Amino acid sequence: MKVGERIKSLRLEKKYSISELSEKANVSKSYLSYIERGIQGNPSLQVLSRLANNLDTTVEYLMGQQNMKVARMPVDEEWAGLIDEAIKNGISKEDFAYYLDFMKFKSRSNQDK
């Protein structure tokens, strides 16, 4: 399954229209449609991150590198404290998700060397 097919499948599972998901993820409707139809087969990491965040999944799943849609784990007190601190400093969920995806990308890039 390609990235666009995964996005469309998850969007339909959540009962989002293209308009709803594009608004939530701050992606134009036409661009999202191009991704879903496979016309745009290589969306940016930032776009994938915003879509994954709004579809409750990971960029890795959207890219076909992970079989599970979502892997949820309990959060310990230290992580909860870090999250609280990030929120108090104005870091949005989208910012955090983008940073996390960037770190994963950086880690994969270092492994390829």
Side-chain angles (χ1 to χ4, degrees):
M1 188 181 285
K2 294 183 181 180
V3 65
E5 294 169 326
R6 280 185 162 77
I7 291 168
K8 183 175 183 177
S9 174
L10 290 170
R11 177 178 62 79
L12 294 174
E13 277 181 31
K14 291 198 148 295
K15 298 184 179 11
Y16 290 155
S17 67
I18 284 185
S19 297
E20 288 172 313
L21 181 57
S22 70
E23 187 175 320
K24 288 175 181 289
N26 195 25
V27 175
S28 76
K29 287 187 281 190
S30 59
Y31 190 64
L32 178 56
S33 176
Y34 286 168
I35 294 169
E36 287 189 356
R37 292 184 292 149
I39 295 169
Q40 172 52 265
N42 191 22
S44 72
L45 180 60
Q46 187 173 18
V47 168
L48 287 175
S49 178
R50 291 195 310 253
L51 290 169
N53 187 44
N54 283 280
L55 293 169
D56 296 326
T57 191
T58 63
V59 171
E60 290 81 7
Y61 176 76
L62 293 180
M63 294 176 66
Q65 298 172 348
Q66 179 182 21
N67 291 331
M68 294 175 25
K69 292 179 191 172
V70 180
R72 301 256 184 221
M73 294 174 48
V75 178
D76 67 28
E77 286 184 39
E78 185 178 3
W79 277 108
L82 289 170
I83 293 167
D84 286 341
E85 185 177 342
I87 292 168
K88 288 176 187 171
N89 285 294
I91 297 174
S92 69
K93 285 188 258 183
E94 291 79 17
D95 293 337
F96 187 78
Y98 180 72
Y99 175 75
L100 183 60
D101 290 333
F102 173 76
M103 293 307 296
K104 290 177 189 174
F105 174 78
K106 186 176 172 184
S107 175
R108 281 194 304 270
S109 295
N110 288 338
Q111 290 174 357
D112 292 342
K113 290 182 180 179

